[in-house]
């Protein structure tokens, strides 16, 4: 399909569609440029950007000595505007770093001073009384806390989807299932080879997450390596909603940042992450030991939280680089720019990273002329459940798709699933992470067949080619014809 | 669909249909059944094996045949059965009026008035999240009921080489079904020392097909990046924790979960019905009325049944009382509470009244044989055995409570030699 497209030079090819690649793509779409983003997975955001704590950090946990320390505060500050423009789930709920003894309380004072020197807004020390009043379910043995009101929570996958959707609306070309296999050096440009095509581009930006060193190797660079560090997270039942209202951090020690309690945007509590080095860049398994570590640590801070309340668990890989810091900048290969080693707080920093990359491109000679048609806003489709009764009545009578409930646990209608597919969902997970269909109590037990049928219909593929998240994640096998004594017609036969 | 009905039934499974018919029999004029799926019949539509109806119809039917009999009767008797319609909310408006909010393809969002409501929303399956299995999260881990729908209604197999965790009835039935479709079923793994399914299903679905049932064994880890590639299985100790020193690996591409059912009571909870923490269903009186006046419940939404015949029996009772309520009949409150005692996990209904016959449904906590079932000092019934997988049904004569003046009766199951 793509081979037929005229081979024209791209100004920029972005390798990797995590939040970093997507944020860069969206920033670039402000300008009259020909940009393409190549993502190896079936959809953007399915790497580390889908599996993290979803925190927009205030920035007082790290000093300005590192690049990652410097990019947090400006990254955080950009989220209000991004949220207004793009409409992803984001809320500033504030963060408490809690001290277990006098020594730790002393450390909080130091963190406060550090944060203030970096411009972190609103930092405030809370004594035991205030902490008990505001968060009465935390352990009574805590002696106080540092409150940082600018901390926020976000649904990180929604952020990636919103960025790419806006970038696409402003002219970005997106290729999925398109892994960069190699990059060839030409006189005046680079050629990125994927299984489908060879993409010529003046600039290539390497945002390949845990694979960024491999992509750098493709142009002969081997000055850094990625050593993934796995983090396990545990989502808790909705009945624990409201047990804490703010993000809860322990005071970090020399070895670890500690286990956090995270009230997610959707209201459920999440606890994690662990930090274990792994050699396997696909290892997103959860472990018995990880769960023990998480819950043992959390119980000390918040006794009512208990392992039995777990409803889901996952793990993500931090793309820790050999330098320990973000690696952002031009390289000895002309036109090849690294945006690598983007470990935590990469989600928070991503908008600031994107701006930094713009400056780098400008310095490297890319002329940035404004795209006169740039529209910074997305119009997110209505979430039926969140509308007023009157508005729901209106929607359901104007579009029968709103009258067909597909996911009953999260009340997602057929119209919303259609929108998700129209806006780029190509897999069950893609639908689920766009509108929560299949994410509720029954975990898709009822709605999976209907969502599969809709994907098959709209993408015009047979049902057995619908996948959970692309690649080899197939879901069903057709029964041998004649071998089936299936009763009557399938549930879709009425269409 | 009209604006007003005497009785609105939520859910068009066997419970809902039975209740609707009984409400009509009780003399009401208009009954509405709201069903979310494109057709009424509930979970039975996907249960194409036979074994339904032995008690109620005295013959062996398949699930769809059993459901069809009720659907047909409902149509014959002018009950409004509205499919593709979903109840999104419920409210008690005044003493005599309940409001039901229905979202449907045809009518959009509408509010229906009625006198009484029957909750018959059925249940859902427990999922992987409920039991915390470490490992990866590939495609190919799904509940047995979803697999049943794929095979029986969509004409697709969930995989080729199947392992089953949990020995609930749906899992057992799917083990046989998948073997008949040419799949390999590597085994059924049950963490408890006994099966959670009916004995007849263990014999007819596993033993007859040479499928191994591993008791006191669990799945300790799931492997595979995109799709399930294998599982690690391990025996468990008395604490139900896996003993990894004895673990082994089973190659498979699919893991079916048959680890229990949970009544779907989010709607009931949203209007403040009191739930029983053990059954997960509403607390009901002997007329199947919940803690909310004029709101009745029956079937799997009340407690999980293993035989649909008893769902029907319970539904007929709930429907009859809901119908009477709509006609203005009010019953004096029950006077005796029924309390689960030794080796009784739960019993339904939760209260009784004198001068009426009752049917009590209960489950034991653990297997016992032979044993005796006691209801206070009033009943002493010898049973040859009890197992948690099989619901116990106890009929009580109206005269039983004639000379009982207390306010609570405890049910116990004790060993007997
Ligand atoms: C457990 C955990 C918790 C975290 N919590 C937070 C937090 O609370 N707040 C915060 O700010 N940060 C957090 N982080 C860090 C944050 O998630 C990451 O910094 C951020 O997601 C990195 O985004 P990315 O785009 O660089 O990487 P990714 O999302 O991994 O994107 C890289 C993309 O490149 C693609 N790719 C790889 N190779 C190729 C190729 N050859 N061709 C084409 N495409 C390719 C991948 O498929 C992937 O989609 C956390 C990280 C972890 C692991
Ligand atoms: C998968 C499975 C297999 C079984 N196999 C057997 C067997 O082999 N033999 C046997 O005797 N018994 C079997 N049973 C048990 C028996 O069939 C069930 O107990 C019986 O179907 C329960 O009937 P019900 O009406 O309570 O629930 P269901 O049959 O589940 O019906 C509930 C109905 O309510 C609808 N509904 C729910 N919420 C709403 C809402 N808000 N608005 C509108 N509609 C709604 C649902 O779509 C559904 O159609 C099985 C049960 C299950 C779950």
């Amino acid at each position: 399909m793509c081979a037929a497209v005229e081979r024209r030079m791209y100004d920029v090819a972005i390798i990797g569609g995590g939040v970093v690649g997507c944020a860069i793509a969206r920033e670039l779409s402000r300008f009259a440029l020909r940009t393409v983003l190549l993502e190896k997975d079936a959809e953007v955001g399915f790497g580390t950007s889908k599996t993290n704590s979803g925190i927009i950090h205030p920035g007082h946990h790290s000093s300005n000595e590192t690049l990652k320390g410097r990019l947090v505060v400006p990254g955080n500050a950009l989220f209000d505007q991004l949220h207004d423009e793009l409409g992803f789930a984001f809320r500033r709920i504030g963060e408490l770093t809690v001290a277990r003894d006098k020594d730790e309380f002393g450390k909080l004072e130091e963190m406060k001073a550090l944060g203030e020197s970096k411009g972190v807004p609103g930092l405030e020390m809370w004594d035991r009384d205030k902490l008990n009043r505001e968060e009465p379910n935390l352990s009574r043995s805590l002696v106080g806390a540092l409150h940082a009101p600018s901390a926020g929570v976000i649904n990180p996958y929604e952020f990636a989807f919103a960025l790419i959707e806006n970038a696409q609306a402003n002219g970005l070309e997106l290729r999925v299932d398109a892994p960069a296999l190699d990059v060839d050096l030409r006189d005046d440009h680079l050629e990125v080879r994927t299984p489908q095509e060879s993409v010529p581009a003046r600039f290539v930006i390497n945002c390949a997450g845990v694979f960024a060193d491999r992509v750098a190797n493709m142009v002969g660079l081997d000055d850094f390596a990625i050593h993934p560090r796995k983090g396990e997270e545990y989502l808790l039942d909705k009945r624990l909603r409201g047990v804490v209202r703010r993000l809860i951090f322990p005071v970090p020690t020399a070895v670890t940042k500690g286990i956090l309690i995270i009230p997610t945007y959707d209201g459920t509590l999440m606890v994690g992450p662990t930090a274990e080095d792994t050699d396997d860049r696909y290892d997103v398994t959860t472990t018995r030991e990880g769960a023990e570590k998480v819950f043992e640590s959390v119980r000390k801070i918040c006794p009512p939280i208990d392992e039995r309340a777990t409803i889901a668990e996952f793990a993500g890989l931090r793309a820790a680089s050999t330098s320990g810091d973000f690696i952002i900048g031009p390289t000895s290969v002309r036109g090849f720019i690294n945006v690598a080693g983007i470990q935590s707080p990469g989600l928070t920093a991503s908008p600031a990273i994107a701006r930094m990359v713009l400056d780098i491109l400008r310095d490297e000679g890319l002329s940035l002329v404004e795209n006169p048609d740039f529209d910074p806003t997305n119009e997110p489709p209505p979430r039926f459940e969140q509308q007023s009764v009157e508005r729901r009545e209106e929607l359901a009578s104007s579009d029968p798709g709103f009258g067909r409930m597909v996911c009953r646990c999260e009340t997602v209608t057929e119209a919303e699933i259609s929108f998700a597919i129209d806006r780029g969902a190509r897999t069950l997970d893609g639908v689920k992470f766009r509108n929560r269909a299949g994410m509720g109590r029954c975990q898709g037990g009822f709605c999976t067949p209907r969502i599969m049928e809709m994907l098959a219909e709209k993408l015009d593929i047979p049902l057995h080619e619908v996948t959970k998240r692309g690649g080899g994640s197939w879901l069903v096998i057709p029964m041998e014809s004649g071998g089936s004594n299936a009763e009557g017609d399938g549930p879709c036969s009425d269409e | 669909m009209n604006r007003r009905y005497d009785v609105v039934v939520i859910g068009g499974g066997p419970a809902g249909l039975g209740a609707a018919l009984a409400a009509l029999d009780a003399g009401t004029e208009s009954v509405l059944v709201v069903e979310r799926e494109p057709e009424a019949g509930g979970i039975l539509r996907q249960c194409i094996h036979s074994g339904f109806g032995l008690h109620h119809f005295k013959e062996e039917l398949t699930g769809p045949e059993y459901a069809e009999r009720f659907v047909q009767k409902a149509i014959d008797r002018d009950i409004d059965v509205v499919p593709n319609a979903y109840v999104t909310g419920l409210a008690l408006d005044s003493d005599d009026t309940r409001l039901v909010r229905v979202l449907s393809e045809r009518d959009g969002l509408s509010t229906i008035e009625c006198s009484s409501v029957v909750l018959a929303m059925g249940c859902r399956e427990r999922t992987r999240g409920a039991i915390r299995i470490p490992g990866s999260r590939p495609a190919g881990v799904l509940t047995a009921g979803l697999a049943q729908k794929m095979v029986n209604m969509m004409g697709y197999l969930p995989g080729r080489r199947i392992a089953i965790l949990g020995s609930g009835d749906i899992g057992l039935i799917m083990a046989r079904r998948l073997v008949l479709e040419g799949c390999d079923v590597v085994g059924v793994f049950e963490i408890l020392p006994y099966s959670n399914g009916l004995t007849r299903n263990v014999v007819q679905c596993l033993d007859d097909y040479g499928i191994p049932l591993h008791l006191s064994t669990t799945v300790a880890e799931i492997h595979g990046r995109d799709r399930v590639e294998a599982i690690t299985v391990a025996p468990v100790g008395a604490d139900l924790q896996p003993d990894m020193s004895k673990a082994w690996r089973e190659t498979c591409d699919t893991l079916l979960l048959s680890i229990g059912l949970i009544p779907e009571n989010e709607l009931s909870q949203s209007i403040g019905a009191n739930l029983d923490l053990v059954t997960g269903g509403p607390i009901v009186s002997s007329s199947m009325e919940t803690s909310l006046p004029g709101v009745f419940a029956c079937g799997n939404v009340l407690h999980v049944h293993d035989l649909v015949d008893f769902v029907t029996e319970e539904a007929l009772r709930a429907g009859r009382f809901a119908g009477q309520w709509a006609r203005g009949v009010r019953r004096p409150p029950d006077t005796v509470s029924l309390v689960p005692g030794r080796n009784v996990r739960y019993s339904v209904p939760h209260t009784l009244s004198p001068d009426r016959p009752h049917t009590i449904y209960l489950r034991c906590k653990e297997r016992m044989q032979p044993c005796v079932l006691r209801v206070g000092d009033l009943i002493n019934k010898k049973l040859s055995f009890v197992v948690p997988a099989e619901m116990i049904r106890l009929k009580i004569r109206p005269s039983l409570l004639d000379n009982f003046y207390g306010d609570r009766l405890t049910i116990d199951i004790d060993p007997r030699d």
Side-chain angles (χ1 to χ4, degrees):
Chain A
M1 180 174 73
C2 303
V5 174
E6 189 195 345
R7 252 183 67 89
R8 254 179 55 202
M9 181 70 68
Y10 288 95
D11 295 302
V12 184
I14 300 167
I15 301 179
V19 286
V20 172
C22 293
I24 294 171
R26 197 259 179 170
E27 241 1 76
L28 287 175
S29 71
R30 295 176 186 276
F31 303 96
L33 296 171
R34 191 155 186 254
T35 310
V36 63
L37 188 148
L38 307 172
E39 168 53 53
K40 75 171 168 54
D41 288 343
E43 299 192 29
V44 301
F46 278 16
T48 302
S49 297
K50 196 173 77 170
T51 50
N52 54 55
S53 305
I55 300 170
I56 301 308
H57 293 286
H60 57 302
H61 287 255
S62 55
S63 84
N64 264 339
E65 282 156 31
T66 57
L67 182 55
K68 61 182 185 188
R70 288 195 292 281
L71 290 174
V72 202
V73 180
N76 178 305
L78 287 167
F79 270 87
D80 295 303
Q81 190 189 345
L82 284 167
H83 168 65
D84 288 345
E85 290 175 346
L86 302 177
F88 53 87
F90 166 70
R91 189 181 301 125
R92 294 195 189 272
I93 62 169
E95 168 199 311
L96 289 168
T97 310
V98 295
R100 278 162 293 192
D101 53 41
K102 279 229 167 61
D103 278 358
E104 288 196 345
F105 201 75
K107 290 215 182 95
L108 293 183
E109 305 269 11
E110 289 167 27
M111 281 169 75
K112 179 165 183 275
L114 172 72
E116 281 165 351
S117 74
K118 291 174 70 179
V120 175
L123 293 174
E124 195 180 69
M125 296 297 289
W126 284 7
D127 62 12
R128 182 189 298 238
D129 279 354
K130 172 124 192 199
L131 183 60
N132 283 344
R133 222 168 32 243
E134 291 290 326
E135 294 289 355
N137 292 314
L138 294 184
S139 164
R140 296 278 151 162
S141 64
L142 299 172
V143 299
L146 173 59
H147 180 231
S150 66
V153 287
I154 184 175
N155 286 341
Y157 36 86
E158 274 184 33
F159 181 47
F161 297 147
L163 286 166
I164 203 72
E165 188 180 324
N166 188 247
Q168 280 181 283
N170 289 304
L172 171 96
E173 293 178 36
L174 171 66
R175 307 265 201 282
V176 289
D177 284 326
L181 301 175
D182 210 346
V183 181
D184 299 332
L185 314 185
R186 295 290 154 78
D187 291 347
D188 60 343
H189 73 277
L190 298 159
E191 290 268 344
V192 187
R193 270 193 275 136
T194 73
Q196 299 85 14
E197 60 184 325
S198 177
V199 179
R202 290 179 61 207
F203 289 93
V204 169
I205 304 180
N206 171 15
C207 319
V210 287
F211 293 94
D213 54 349
R214 301 267 170 92
V215 171
N217 293 160
M218 294 176 191
V219 293
L221 296 171
D222 59 1
D223 50 347
F224 71 91
I226 301 290
H227 295 296
R229 190 173 307 134
K230 185 166 79 172
E232 298 180 23
E233 310 259 15
Y234 293 81
L235 264 166
L236 310 180
D237 192 280
K238 271 193 181 155
R239 71 192 140 82
L240 289 177
R241 203 181 252 261
V243 164
V244 300
R245 295 181 299 155
R246 298 173 184 81
L247 293 154
I248 307 296
F249 283 57
V251 172
T253 65
V255 277
T256 157
K257 213 165 141 188
I259 304 295
L260 323 177
I261 308 174
I262 304 154
T264 66
Y265 180 86
D266 294 312
T268 42
L269 286 192
M270 187 163 87
V271 291
T274 55
E276 292 292 332
D277 291 335
T278 168
D279 303 326
D280 179 352
R281 295 173 196 234
Y282 293 97
D283 174 11
V284 286
T285 56
T286 51
T287 61
R288 219 167 283 284
E289 301 75 46
E292 267 164 32
K293 243 179 239 171
V294 166
F295 286 97
E296 197 189 290
S297 161
V298 165
R299 247 190 317 272
K300 284 186 202 144
I301 291 181
C302 186
I305 294 181
D306 170 315
E307 176 163 1
R308 280 169 305 186
T310 306
I311 53 156
E313 53 197 81
F314 62 84
L317 296 175
R318 303 175 185 84
S321 70
T322 27
S323 77
D325 199 359
F326 292 172
I327 300 172
I328 304 177
T331 62
S332 55
V333 175
R334 204 183 132 62
F336 187 87
I337 293 163
N338 274 326
V339 185
I342 311 298
Q343 52 172 301
S344 204
L347 177 63
T348 312
S350 57
I353 293 174
R355 295 211 165 172
M356 183 174 165
V357 169
L358 273 191
D359 292 337
I360 294 169
L361 286 169
R362 197 182 282 115
D363 290 348
E364 293 294 300
L366 182 67
S367 76
L368 298 176
V369 178
E370 271 187 34
N371 168 3
D373 302 325
F374 177 74
D375 177 355
T377 57
N378 281 352
E379 190 63 59
R383 277 288 281 116
F384 189 73
E385 196 202 3
Q386 288 157 10
Q387 310 299 314
S388 67
V389 172
E390 296 73 32
R391 180 82 184 113
R392 272 186 270 170
E393 278 170 357
E394 247 171 64
L395 286 172
S397 54
S398 66
D399 176 351
F402 282 109
R404 285 190 288 264
M405 188 60 73
V406 177
C407 166
R408 46 172 130 163
C409 304
E410 298 291 322
T411 23
V412 186
T413 61
E414 201 169 286
E416 291 159 88
I417 292 171
S418 271
F419 292 143
I421 302 171
D422 293 343
R423 283 160 184 253
R426 301 174 64 239
T427 62
L428 272 189
D429 278 3
V431 170
K432 163 166 123 179
F433 285 105
R434 278 175 176 84
N435 57 30
R436 295 189 63 77
M439 227 187 237
R441 296 175 297 270
C442 88
Q443 293 282 304
F446 290 106
C447 59
T448 298
R450 184 65 197 130
I451 299 174
M452 286 172 67
E453 283 164 11
M454 291 184 67
L455 280 161
E457 266 163 47
K458 299 200 74 147
L459 302 176
D460 198 19
I461 53 175
L463 198 74
H464 61 268
E465 283 178 21
V466 175
T467 63
K468 175 168 163 60
R469 54 165 173 262
S473 64
W474 55 274
L475 293 160
V476 294
I477 307 170
M479 283 211 267
E480 317 242 322
S481 48
S484 139
N485 41 354
E487 194 269 324
D489 289 323
C492 52
S493 61
D494 51 337
E495 254 96 352
Chain B
M1 204 160 56
N2 305 327
R3 286 264 149 213
R4 200 199 136 79
Y5 289 87
D6 286 342
V7 181
V8 172
V9 178
I10 308 176
L17 294 169
L21 287 163
L24 219 56
D25 285 339
T28 55
E29 311 210 320
S30 57
V31 179
L32 170 70
V33 177
V34 186
E35 170 54 49
R36 198 183 62 102
E37 294 289 323
E39 263 175 74
I43 212 73
L44 292 182
R45 289 170 64 227
Q46 66 185 61
C47 303
I48 63 170
H49 53 282
S50 60
F52 299 83
L54 285 168
H55 295 262
H56 187 75
F57 290 113
K58 307 282 180 259
E59 58 179 308
E60 194 164 340
L61 306 173
T62 65
E65 283 167 354
Y66 189 100
E68 192 46 36
R69 293 204 177 181
F70 282 91
V71 173
Q72 201 50 52
K73 271 195 213 163
I75 293 171
D76 291 348
R77 301 199 49 197
D78 285 335
I79 292 174
D80 271 358
V81 180
V82 179
N84 289 318
Y86 182 81
V87 173
T88 61
L90 197 58
L92 307 183
D93 192 38
S94 66
D95 266 6
D96 296 318
T97 318
R98 279 98 201 73
L99 301 177
V100 185
R101 292 192 73 74
V102 180
L103 175 67
S104 79
E105 183 175 357
R106 211 183 50 203
D107 301 320
L109 194 58
S110 39
T111 304
I112 313 253
E113 272 184 25
C114 60
S115 305
S116 58
V117 171
V118 180
L119 306 172
M121 290 89 75
C123 61
R124 64 170 180 269
E125 297 177 276
R126 281 177 85 204
T127 63
R128 175 176 178 183
I131 51 168
R132 281 228 45 238
I133 312 173
S136 56
R137 277 158 304 286
V141 181
L142 66 163
T143 59
L146 176 54
Q148 187 178 46
K149 184 163 184 183
M150 286 172 170
V151 177
N152 291 348
M153 298 185 70
M154 301 168 74
Y156 285 84
L157 297 174
R160 291 191 185 87
R161 207 176 146 80
I162 323 275
I164 300 177
L165 175 60
S167 60
D169 285 312
I170 318 167
L172 301 179
I173 281 162
M174 282 314 289
R176 171 177 67 186
R177 184 83 180 96
L178 289 165
V179 166
L180 291 175
E181 289 300 335
C183 302
D184 291 328
V185 177
V186 301
V188 174
F189 305 95
E190 168 58 58
I191 196 167
L192 296 175
Y194 47 83
S195 160
N196 253 314
L198 300 173
T199 314
R200 76 165 198 224
N201 282 339
V202 174
V203 174
Q204 292 172 7
C205 300
L206 301 187
D207 299 354
D208 289 359
Y209 292 82
I211 300 167
L213 170 61
H214 300 271
L215 296 174
S216 298
T217 306
T218 194
V219 174
E221 197 172 342
I222 297 175
H223 310 277
R225 191 194 298 169
D226 285 347
R227 177 77 197 189
V228 175
E229 288 163 16
I231 53 174
T232 297
V233 190
V236 297
D239 59 353
L240 299 186
Q241 291 303 309
D243 175 356
M244 297 309 283
S245 68
K246 297 193 183 121
W248 77 95
R249 207 174 153 103
E250 289 277 2
T251 305
C252 57
D253 60 22
T254 305
L255 176 63
L256 295 192
L257 305 176
S258 183
I259 52 178
L261 300 167
I262 306 168
E264 285 245 274
N265 276 294
E266 284 66 31
L267 197 58
S268 331
Q269 268 176 308
S270 74
I271 47 163
N274 294 336
L275 298 192
D276 177 327
L277 292 178
V278 178
T279 58
I283 290 176
V284 291
S285 71
S286 57
S287 47
M288 304 322 235
E289 191 175 2
T290 66
S291 57
L292 304 167
V295 179
F296 299 77
C298 57
N300 280 351
V301 79
L302 182 56
H303 59 126
V304 175
H305 292 248
D306 31 76
L307 287 179
V308 68
D309 304 75
F310 297 151
V311 170
T312 298
E313 179 181 80
E314 192 175 86
L316 294 177
R317 192 168 320 119
R320 173 157 49 94
F321 289 114
Q324 291 179 359
W325 173 284
R327 300 189 60 208
V329 179
R330 299 288 179 270
R331 301 215 149 240
D334 285 350
T335 50
V336 180
S337 6
L338 204 54
V339 186
R342 291 183 297 275
N343 198 22
V344 176
R345 207 160 78 77
Y346 74 78
S347 57
V348 170
H350 297 76
T351 54
L352 302 177
S353 72
D355 80 28
R356 265 196 294 135
H358 295 288
T359 306
I360 299 171
Y361 305 100
L362 61 136
R363 278 184 202 273
C364 65
K365 288 183 182 154
E366 48 195 58
R367 184 213 306 258
M368 202 176 266
Q369 70 177 59
C371 54
V372 56
L373 173 68
R374 296 181 221 275
V375 180
D377 297 332
L378 305 178
I379 293 183
N380 247 306
K381 191 176 171 178
K382 286 181 184 163
L383 298 173
S384 54
F385 72 97
V386 293
V387 289
E390 301 191 14
M391 199 167 73
I392 303 160
R393 175 163 155 275
L394 181 68
K395 290 205 166 240
I396 296 188
R397 285 172 282 113
S399 59
L400 185 80
L401 296 177
D402 279 0
N403 296 313
F404 178 74
Y405 301 103
D407 56 9
R408 55 188 273 149
L409 277 170
T410 304
I411 312 187
D412 298 301
I413 300 175
D414 291 317
R416 153 172 82 89
D417 24 48

